[in-house]
Amino acid sequence: MTPTSEESRRPEPSRAESSRRRAVGRPRRDGSTGGDPQQEILDAATRLFAERGYAATTMTEVARAVGLGQSSVYYWFRSKEDLLRGLAGANRQSLVVAERLAAGTTPAAVRLYAVLYTDVLQMCRGALDFYDLERVAAAQPDSFAEILDDYGRLRAAIEAVVAAGMESGELLPGEPRLATLACLAQTEGIQHRFRTPGPDAEGDAALADPEVAARLAATTALRAWLADPASTPEVEARALAELEREF
């Protein structure tokens, strides 16, 4: 039965019901069948969230984009928040990079650039504005516990790299936690500006490429903490080479 509103939720499926769910094509409104409906719904949500933003997109629009009835979409995802969790859970590359590099022997400044660059690149290429995800997760912490935990792990890994850099003298002395927060504010702000044009249209156009946005954020954040700012180009080149080689 079709839910009566966008906020409707179906009951949690039983283990038996979950096990019966199969990734097979269900009939579309045009009579055709597709492949994996769950993935197709996520793909459609990705496009709509990127084009319209999370808040402005409805489950009805997602269903229409896939060619399914709204009840079929609710069969796989009980709410728009479920879609958000599904999309966010697939984007963990920056956490993988951070945790693999955190305990490495590569210079801390190189590791820091690599993690910040990867984080922005991932956010800009994804469907979600990080601020949308953060706002929804903060309002429903129990539902988004895994995503909040991932963010905490990312922050801890970056903080460990920053602390190592300060100890080695590569980075200026300071409080690692505050420096980490400043770095994340830089990366998250750039990904938001990448998605949301501001009053400076010419400046926004320069951020049209995710890689340009990622390099700008990582370079700006790193330069502020490097003991030798003149070494920034060398650190950047080495970090990008490290990512190419290892990931």
Side-chain angles (χ1 to χ4, degrees):
M1 183 172 65
T2 302
T4 58
S5 75
E6 288 296 315
E7 300 301 323
S8 300
R9 290 174 175 270
R10 298 181 64 175
E12 289 285 341
S14 66
R15 289 182 182 272
E17 179 185 355
S18 296
S19 67
R20 288 196 299 268
R21 289 184 173 181
R22 297 177 298 158
V24 297
R26 301 189 70 178
R28 282 14 179 203
R29 288 186 178 278
D30 62 4
S32 64
T33 58
D36 180 351
Q38 190 173 26
Q39 186 58 53
E40 290 180 7
I41 292 167
L42 286 173
D43 290 344
T46 295
R47 292 192 300 272
L48 289 170
F49 289 169
E51 293 169 3
R52 299 171 51 82
Y54 172 78
T57 300
T58 67
M59 291 289 275
T60 300
E61 291 168 331
V62 173
R64 186 180 301 121
V66 184
L68 288 170
Q70 192 171 340
S71 60
S72 297
V73 174
Y74 276 100
Y75 176 81
W76 295 100
F77 298 96
R78 295 184 305 279
S79 67
K80 194 165 67 170
E81 290 78 10
D82 262 359
L83 278 172
L84 191 66
R85 279 192 293 273
L87 291 172
N91 293 318
R92 306 177 79 243
Q93 183 62 24
S94 55
L95 175 59
V96 172
V97 171
E99 294 191 331
R100 282 180 59 178
L101 292 178
T105 57
T106 304
V110 174
R111 287 182 279 155
L112 179 59
Y113 184 99
V115 174
L116 298 179
Y117 174 89
T118 303
D119 194 33
V120 178
L121 192 63
Q122 172 185 286
M123 288 190 287
C124 289
R125 286 177 172 172
L128 308 170
D129 187 320
F130 175 79
Y131 291 154
D132 284 339
L133 175 60
E134 184 179 51
R135 182 167 52 253
V136 176
Q140 302 179 48
D142 291 340
S143 298
F144 289 83
E146 183 178 358
I147 292 172
L148 292 171
D149 179 65
D150 280 354
Y151 185 72
R153 288 167 57 192
L154 174 64
R155 186 175 58 198
I158 294 175
E159 186 175 337
V161 173
V162 170
M166 290 179 174
E167 184 176 351
S168 69
E170 296 171 63
L171 304 181
L172 295 171
E175 171 53 52
R177 183 169 183 80
L178 293 179
T180 298
L181 291 176
C183 287
L184 289 173
Q186 178 71 36
T187 59
E188 292 158 9
I190 287 293
Q191 71 82 35
H192 176 70
R193 185 54 62 209
F194 170 83
R195 298 176 180 283
T196 309
D200 181 7
E202 183 176 348
D204 293 336
L207 293 179
D209 185 336
E211 292 187 5
V212 172
R215 293 181 71 166
L216 174 63
T219 299
T220 303
L222 178 68
R223 192 192 302 272
W225 289 97
L226 271 178
D228 178 15
S231 67
T232 301
E234 178 184 351
V235 171
E236 177 185 37
R238 186 168 177 182
L240 293 175
E242 184 86 8
L243 288 172
E244 181 72 21
R245 180 171 59 254
E246 297 293 334
F247 301 95

